[in-house]
Amino acid sequence: DADVTQTPRNRITKTGKRIMLECSQTKGHDRMYWYRQDPGLGLRLIYYSFDVKDINKGEISDGYSVSRQAQAKFSLSLESAIPNQTALYFCATSGGAEETQYFGPGTRLLVL
Amino acid sequence: TQLLKQSPQFLSIQEGENLTVYCNSSSVFSSLQWYRQEPGEGPVLLVTVVTGGEVKKLKRLTFQFGDARKDSSLHITAAQTGDTGLYLCAGVYTNAGKSTFGDGTTLTVKP
């Protein structure tokens, strides 16, 4: 079984709709992250969390919110989706001395 | 503004050729990581370099961390079609607990 899972894997929604992307991990890591990936822009950090009570904004948090429901679960919400939020979204955890990041398989989101 | 700039952005070569990908920044990092991503999947760690001037080898891949810990390179010897993918470097800020990723290099190795 995968260490980091994301649901859904693909989502099509309309402008103005609220949607939630979910992430679960079995690695036992405290640190979790949400990134978006756009062609030519690599991965950009949206939010990150060091534990259930510690949530921090990343470089592109506007238009997004997160919830850390448990050590293993970190969800990302788009309160009112807009077309330029169309992207590939990745959840990741990190741990170990080298802070290796372990990524989920991604959620492909299309906002019409 | 991309803190980590990778070059080239796209690279298409024939099997058996050598190549080098660069990752440059004006920031100093605690360590630098290289990831490889295949279509439909998340990035997977290849290597972490920690010490300025460090060189690490992973079979046909050689990674180097600059003396000032601001830049890095990835050299692939005798590329194979299985090397095709998106290569991402990431600068790690250990104290902040987060990383910043480069804009990626898309490598295509043709048979």
Side-chain angles (χ1 to χ4, degrees):
Chain A
D1 289 338
D3 294 321
V4 183
T5 57
Q6 293 183 232
T7 56
R9 292 295 312 277
N10 295 279
R11 179 73 183 269
I12 300 174
T13 191
K14 294 183 179 179
T15 297
K17 294 291 188 181
R18 182 182 188 276
I19 68 162
M20 179 183 290
L21 309 182
E22 299 188 351
C23 175
S24 294
Q25 54 112 346
T26 58
K27 296 198 71 70
H29 291 159
D30 288 326
R31 298 181 176 187
M32 297 187 73
Y33 307 81
W34 274 104
Y35 294 91
R36 69 175 276 175
Q37 186 174 40
D38 301 275
L41 293 177
L43 290 163
R44 292 183 292 166
L45 184 62
I46 305 172
Y47 270 95
Y48 59 107
S49 171
F50 290 161
D51 65 37
V52 174
K53 296 180 181 180
D54 184 358
I55 293 178
N56 305 279
K57 291 183 177 181
E59 57 185 303
I60 54 163
S61 59
D62 288 349
Y64 302 94
S65 63
V66 290
S67 174
R68 185 82 184 266
Q69 301 94 324
Q71 186 206 36
K73 296 184 182 298
F74 192 35
S75 59
L76 175 72
S77 294
L78 284 68
E79 299 301 325
S80 180
I82 56 177
N84 76 1
Q85 291 178 313
T86 291
L88 189 53
Y89 289 85
F90 286 100
C91 174
T93 73
S94 74
E98 295 184 340
E99 291 294 332
T100 300
Q101 300 222 0
Y102 299 88
F103 287 85
T107 294
R108 190 169 295 278
L109 175 66
L110 174 60
V111 183
L112 300 174
Chain B
T1 304
Q2 203 76 30
L3 284 179
L4 273 173
K5 190 67 181 173
Q6 290 184 233
S7 61
Q9 188 174 3
F10 298 97
L11 189 55
S12 181
I13 61 171
Q14 295 294 134
E15 199 168 27
E17 292 183 359
N18 301 332
L19 67 112
T20 303
V21 176
Y22 300 93
C23 175
N24 295 292
S25 174
S26 57
S27 298
V28 176
F29 299 107
S30 306
S31 61
L32 195 137
Q33 298 174 327
W34 285 92
Y35 291 80
R36 181 165 164 265
Q37 183 180 10
E38 297 193 35
E41 299 180 8
V44 176
L45 181 73
L46 293 173
V47 78
T48 300
V49 284
V50 180
T51 307
E54 182 177 3
V55 177
K56 275 191 175 178
K57 291 193 173 185
L58 195 68
K59 296 184 180 178
R60 294 176 293 102
L61 278 60
T62 301
F63 304 86
Q64 185 161 8
F65 200 13
D67 291 340
R69 305 207 327 272
K70 294 181 180 180
D71 48 68
S72 181
S73 63
L74 158 60
H75 181 80
I76 301 179
T77 303
Q80 299 176 356
T81 56
D83 295 327
T84 292
L86 175 66
Y87 289 81
L88 294 160
C89 64
V92 181
Y93 301 100
T94 300
N95 290 341
K98 61 178 181 174
S99 304
T100 186
F101 281 80
D103 42 5
T105 294
T106 299
L107 171 64
T108 302
V109 182
K110 295 179 284 189

